[in-house]
Amino acid sequence: LREGTPAIQANQPDVARSKLMESAELYPSNPDVFHNLAILNFQQQEWDSAKENLEKTAELLDMFLAVSGENPSLTQRRENIQALIDSIPLRKVIFEADSAMKSRKWEEAIVKLEELSRIQPNNPTVYYHWSVALINLKKYDEADAAIGKALALKPDEEAFLDVRKHIIKRKEALEAEKSRLAIVTIRGLNSEGKHQEALNKISSSQDILADEHLPVMWEEKAKAHLALEQLGEALTAFKKSFDLQGKSVTDSLYELAQNL
């Protein structure tokens, strides 16, 4: 036992297991042996074996308590062993969630963190890591909801506030990219002579276009209407485009008329 126990701390699992198993054969009623085997099992993520060895420890302690009567030290130790047994599901999920995060297996991490949140619903760190995993999957609305739960539990935590700021920036960048791609698509359709498709794309993109892209959108809309000989709609769109660009509408329309 004295040879096997230090080997656990020295990260020599094979030596520790061999010595502790030998000790268990020599002295099978010693709860210390099975307790230390359980510690080794925890270290090696052998959850079923850990539970088995802790239950064996508890069984032996119960036997000693039955014959020794009132013994505060043994009673406290028995309670501690029970707490370890009860902690096994939590330890297992924490380890699996941590491993998934370190391996950048974000979908797997989210599943484990969701499971962990059911075990520890008031642990803000769980929601923090959940949010980080969702950010890496570009699920920004869900990430914001997760970090919101963390902030509700710990409003002044700087790391949580930084994550929310990061999410806001990512969402803004994503919206900007959607807007830019919509304009590129609209221009491409017009240049290919697909004017009605360009108008359809403009109609479906109204909610995602950034203010900076609205002048171009109205200009492309005007060009599409003009090509389709929808002159009233084209005139209205040209006016809007010139106005948004800060140009003189009258002068710009006169110049456009000359060009046409």
Side-chain angles (χ1 to χ4, degrees):
L1 179 61
R2 289 179 179 176
E3 291 173 349
T5 302
I8 299 174
Q9 299 300 324
N11 198 25
Q12 298 174 321
D14 293 339
V15 173
R17 196 184 308 275
S18 174
K19 294 295 182 181
L20 291 172
M21 292 300 294
E22 185 180 351
S23 179
E25 290 176 7
L26 293 169
Y27 188 3
S29 61
N30 184 358
D32 292 342
V33 177
F34 299 100
H35 188 185
N36 281 286
L37 275 169
I39 292 171
L40 175 63
N41 296 143
F42 279 136
Q43 190 183 77
Q44 299 299 306
Q45 296 88 50
E46 299 163 348
W47 310 109
D48 292 339
S49 295
K51 184 179 181 182
E52 182 181 333
N53 281 313
L54 286 172
E55 287 176 343
K56 181 65 175 177
T57 306
E59 179 185 333
L60 290 170
L61 290 173
D62 286 339
M63 181 181 69
F64 293 148
L65 281 167
V67 297
S68 66
E70 187 175 343
N71 188 321
S73 176
L74 273 180
T75 300
Q76 183 60 58
R77 186 175 177 191
R78 177 64 179 85
E79 291 175 358
N80 292 342
I81 293 298
Q82 189 59 50
L84 280 175
I85 293 172
D86 294 340
S87 76
I88 289 174
L90 175 61
R91 289 169 179 262
K92 182 175 183 289
V93 177
I94 288 174
F95 174 80
E96 290 171 345
D98 186 55
S99 296
M101 290 289 287
K102 287 178 179 177
S103 303
R104 303 179 70 82
K105 297 177 180 178
W106 307 119
E107 295 281 7
E108 182 181 331
I110 287 168
V111 171
K112 294 301 176 182
L113 288 163
E114 185 175 5
E115 184 179 348
L116 189 55
S117 73
R118 290 194 290 271
I119 302 172
Q120 291 188 315
N122 295 318
N123 185 348
T125 306
V126 173
Y127 301 109
Y128 166 77
H129 289 297
W130 194 349
S131 181
V132 170
L134 287 164
I135 288 171
N136 280 279
L137 291 173
K138 298 183 179 180
K139 297 181 178 180
Y140 300 122
D141 289 337
E142 294 177 51
D144 192 49
I147 202 63
K149 291 180 180 179
L151 285 166
L153 293 164
K154 204 169 183 180
D156 299 324
E157 178 60 45
E158 195 67 31
F160 301 167
L161 293 168
D162 287 344
V163 167
R164 170 149 280 175
K165 291 176 185 175
H166 183 69
I167 291 170
I168 291 170
K169 287 182 180 178
R170 287 284 190 96
K171 288 176 75 174
E172 289 173 348
L174 182 63
E175 292 304 314
E177 181 63 9
K178 286 180 181 178
S179 179
R180 186 191 70 80
L181 289 174
I183 289 296
V184 169
T185 302
I186 292 163
R187 278 178 162 165
L189 290 169
N190 260 342
S191 66
E192 293 170 13
K194 300 176 180 178
H195 306 299
Q196 187 56 56
E197 289 183 40
L199 291 172
N200 293 341
K201 180 64 177 177
I202 289 170
S203 179
S204 65
S205 303
Q206 294 285 342
D207 293 338
I208 66 169
L209 289 174
D211 289 347
E212 63 186 280
H213 292 143
L214 291 180
V216 178
M217 182 274 285
W218 282 104
E219 184 177 353
E220 292 299 320
K221 182 176 174 65
K223 289 177 181 178
H225 282 304
L226 190 62
L228 295 170
E229 299 185 1
Q230 298 166 346
L231 303 184
E233 291 89 340
L235 180 59
T236 300
F238 274 123
K239 286 180 180 179
K240 187 68 175 178
S241 176
F242 296 144
D243 186 45
L244 288 172
Q245 294 177 64
K247 295 180 178 180
S248 167
V249 175
T250 302
D251 293 345
S252 298
L253 287 175
Y254 185 78
E255 182 181 350
L256 177 64
Q258 286 183 312
N259 291 336
L260 290 173

